[in-house]
Amino acid sequence: MTDESLDAHDDALVSNPSPGTPIGALIETRLSRRGALLGALVAGLAPAAALAEAAHSTGNPPDAGPSTLQFPELRHQLNPRDAVAEGHRIQTLLRWGDPVLAGAPAFDPTAQTPEAQALQFGYNNDFLDFRPLPRGSRSSTHGLLAVNHEYTTAAMMFPGLGPLRQARERVSDVQLRVEMAAHGGSVVEIRREGERWVPAVDSKYNRRITAHTPMRISGPAAGHARMRTSADPAGERVLGMLNNCAGGNTPWGTVLTCEENFNNYFGGEAATTGAQAAAYKRYGIGPDPFYAWRRVEARFDLDQEPNEPNRFGWVVEYDPYDPEAMPVKRTALGRLKHEGCTHAIGKDGRVVFYMGDDERFEYVYKFVTARSWNPADPAANRDLLDAGTLYVARFDADGTLTWLPLVQGEGPLTSENGFASQGDVVIECRRAANLLGATPMDRPEDVEVNPATGRVYAMLTNNGSRAATQTNPANPRPSNTQGHVIEIIPPGAGTREVDHAATEARWEIFLLAGRPGIDAGTRYHRATSGEGWLSCPDNCAFDSKGRIWIATDGADDAAGIADGLYAADTLGKGRALTRLFYQAPLGAEVCGPCFTPDDGTLFLSIQHPGEGSSFDKPSTRWPDFDAGKPPRPSVIAITRIGGGAVG
Ligand code: FEO
Ligand code: CA
Ligand code: CA
Ligand code: CA
């Protein structure tokens, strides 16, 4: 996304008032040899021997061993069309406006209505999860695709509005309601028939979730005084979910979908003068939001409903197999600008959920359930996400990571500091994390577990605002416009008994993105090619061999290349040797990478194609290339020609 201060996605926002060196790093005076080498690398002063030593000590092999990935690498290019490595095929599976529910009219971009949109595939698809059918099976040919619809851009959706800022002023009330119906999520039954995937319109499983879908609020913030509104005096029900970016799933088969930049929808004078002004500010809520929704719905007006924004910014759980089941906002997992929420099972059966708060200088979190999950009794897991411990990460210079508990009554999280209950802690999770001295990161996006090794990978997409005085060992570059990837190594990683629930872990830097030899302080495998380097890592996935697939968002702005999908080994001779597999069309980011259990299909979300242009003068008409159609955010399916595993 562009670095505009008033943007649908807010990528340049800083809300953390204390983004300097965390308390932990100040206390930690023992500067390890590795830390010293890292500093030298960052300063661009490292001699060759130090580079080799640094690479060795972080697990990178000193030799340029080959990748286990066999596909011929793509070349970097900017193009209205997308491309995939030779030997693979791209199929457009679901486009904005495609029918999802019975009775959906054909997509007519010149006469879109809220009613039509609520039956059709929403805008800006992001997170994807393939849930096999039948439930509990390992099918790779039949299942449900759960999809997030993160946000809308009127300039690209409606004719005659002009570019971004102009469109924001001109968008009609009806169009605002179309936007509300284009948010949320979709569940679509899909089946592989020969070489192609076919969506089932009218499936009993298909579902649309919008900004108006009723949801239950559960956990420590349910019923809290600050969750109550005139429409919901009990503070237990809310309409819709907003800006759902990435997500995850649970061992018991439900989908987790995460509210990210919810601040963009709420505005009013109270943002600066109201009783909750300080709390609004900590989440980036201001008087004049990007979306004009409060023009048509009073609940988005802070002056009328000061508590409504407290009901957004949560992890939402829903059952994709039951379209009637009410989604639940699980407040125990904290209120922040959630990117995703991905799980690992601890060695004692408790379930651990890793999460990033995607804003400059925000934090990495995890939640550990109080109880173990029960594979034999699905009903016993139903409310597992309501009780457990939320932690925030402090990365120290000696390579240790400490998970700090966000528990009311412990440490500084007391009534004196405004935390009288756990509800207060989760509602103002960011302020609580500040008091604990968590490490301010370079925009934590996906945090995902490699099932083959138990190591955990955090995508830190970029942070152009970090000053040289604000670097820390885990975020070593000032003005980090290209981002990096951190590896968290829990105790027991690499064995069958990985202790994801432990309160300590080790950490390493997996790669520092950007143009090798041009951008300061980049780090990859030394054999990474002129095409294999990347910029702005956002989402990631692992194939069944434990190789990482990294999707990028923002490379066009940061490095002048298209966003794409890159694959690399995580261990062995090809560690961090990234290779370009898929290149997005102009303006688009790649998100939601998701493999079928057999690795035979890779689903990708291609979001905001043509971004920065407009409906009437689009920079691409991907994927239809039809003069009557604007570019359409779409889900694609990539398969290997002739069959077999992708990559
Ligand atoms: Fe919506 Fe964090 O990207
Ligand atoms: Ca996105
Ligand atoms: Ca993202
Ligand atoms: Ca992003």
Side-chain angles (χ1 to χ4, degrees), residues 9 126 150 243 245 260-261 339 358 443 445 538 553:
H9 210 83
D126 198 301
E150 185 181 13
N243 216 277
C245 192
E260 196 186 43
N261 295 301
E339 172 73 15
D358 181 8
R443 290 187 58 200
E445 300 253 26
D538 187 329
D553 170 21

